[in-house]
Amino acid sequence: MLVHAGDELDYRLEMIQVADDTYAFIGEKEDFSRSNGGNIVNTGFIVTDTGVIVIDTGPSLLYGQQMREAIGRVTDKPIIKVLLTHHHPDHIFGSQAFADTPVYALPGTLESIRGEAQGFLDNLYRMVGPWMKGTRVMESVRVLEIQHENIGGHALEYITMSGHTAGDLMVFDEKTGVLFAGDLVFHNRALTTPHADPGDWMAALDRLLNMDFRILVPGHGELSSSKDAVEQTRDYLLWLESTIRDAVQRGLDMNEVMQIPLPERFQALAVISSEYPRSVIHRFPVYEEELLQ
Ligand SMILES: [Zn+2]
């Protein structure tokens, strides 16, 4: 019998119940690789009386399909809406598996999808190979125009922020107190900065510190039932920005900045040894430019 490698691909999605009617799939705290197939992300769903609301769709068509199968094992209610928290590839490319459902995102996210999704997709095909089979950029994403919605017994708040990207959507369920924070919050995993605006991001984190939620689902890493994950993200972002800015002002070059020892409290963050140099590449030129002006 001829067995194709592609036939065996299984994300083995790990579903956890976060609260009543609320579930999350927790991805690996890793970089994209052929062994994880791009499942480095958290996604989730809320089962309302009317139907299911999906929050982010993962890195590939296959992930979306397997997510959908897993949802089907929990409920036979229809999937009525998909929300994308932002435009990064690990969060959006499963959307095709929900092509019969309206997919919504913030205007800034739509714009970024138009400009960058094809490049992200090409890159993911290179990094995770066969897992991406059949995945295309989904064209028909709609603008999310509402901030509140009462749906099937759940009062949902759609909170518009930015800072990780130009459009960061958070979903808060007043009934359960669960907050899907997207990539504004990373937990025990180094944050990513390719589209970061640190000022906006800090403002978003400050707002989060004042929000009453019971459980926070970060974009990456474990759930948090306190402000820990928010504080950790804020602490690292502050350190990152001040370290790079100060180093530029002291005249260090990019390689020297990459050699700066990490404070002990950040050393246990997953993938920091790859994310920190990447962040230096993103942020060093910004501060260099600032200094020249
Ligand atoms: Zn992400």
Side-chain angles (χ1 to χ4, degrees), residues 35-185:
S35 58
N36 62 38
N39 179 17
I40 61 166
V41 63
N42 299 340
T43 60
F45 63 99
I46 302 168
V47 184
T48 79
D49 292 340
T50 314
V52 179
I53 301 193
V54 169
I55 299 149
D56 282 343
T57 59
S60 65
L61 170 61
L62 183 67
Y63 181 104
Q65 288 166 336
Q66 293 183 354
M67 184 182 182
R68 200 169 176 154
E69 282 164 25
I71 294 170
R73 290 194 286 274
V74 170
T75 178
D76 54 11
K77 292 212 161 62
I79 295 169
I80 51 173
K81 180 175 285 200
V82 174
L83 299 166
L84 301 178
T85 59
H86 64 296
H87 77 290
H88 283 164
D90 42 338
H91 300 259
I92 65 167
F93 283 130
S95 299
Q96 240 176 296
F98 303 92
D100 53 346
T101 308
V103 178
Y104 294 92
L106 294 174
T109 301
L110 251 80
E111 204 174 301
S112 302
I113 287 176
R114 274 185 216 114
E116 296 185 79
Q118 191 57 49
F120 286 158
L121 188 61
D122 296 343
N123 210 18
L124 263 188
Y125 268 92
R126 271 193 297 277
M127 288 189 288
V128 311
W131 296 88
M132 298 304 293
K133 196 175 167 211
T135 307
R136 295 188 309 274
V137 174
M138 198 178 174
E139 310 270 326
S140 53
V141 181
R142 309 174 191 198
V143 176
L144 181 69
E145 279 169 342
I146 50 173
Q147 277 109 46
H148 293 275
E149 180 166 41
N150 281 303
I151 189 159
H154 288 255
L156 301 179
E157 206 180 322
Y158 303 137
I159 306 165
T160 300
M161 301 236 198
S162 64
H164 175 65
T165 66
D168 294 303
L169 172 68
M170 299 200 308
V171 179
F172 180 61
D173 185 341
E174 286 171 20
K175 180 177 179 181
T176 58
V178 175
L179 177 69
F180 287 89
D183 279 8
L184 288 168
V185 181

Side-chain angles (χ1 to χ4, degrees), residues 159-165 167-170 179 181 183-185 197-211 213 216 227 230-231 233-234 237:
I159 306 165
T160 300
M161 301 236 198
S162 64
H164 175 65
T165 66
D168 294 303
L169 172 68
M170 299 200 308
L179 177 69
D183 279 8
L184 288 168
V185 181
D197 180 318
D200 286 356
W201 199 342
M202 287 304 295
L205 291 166
D206 285 342
R207 204 172 140 193
L208 272 165
L209 285 177
N210 289 308
M211 263 187 78
F213 55 80
L216 181 147
K227 299 279 160 74
V230 179
E231 276 161 2
T233 304
R234 192 178 183 282
L237 183 63

Side-chain angles (χ1 to χ4, degrees), residues 14-26 45 47 74 176 178 180 215 217 223:
E14 259 182 63
M15 187 197 291
I16 52 174
Q17 182 159 12
V18 179
D20 285 349
D21 307 331
T22 312
Y23 300 82
F25 299 98
I26 306 296
F45 63 99
V47 184
V74 170
T176 58
V178 175
F180 287 89
I215 300 173
V217 183
L223 307 185

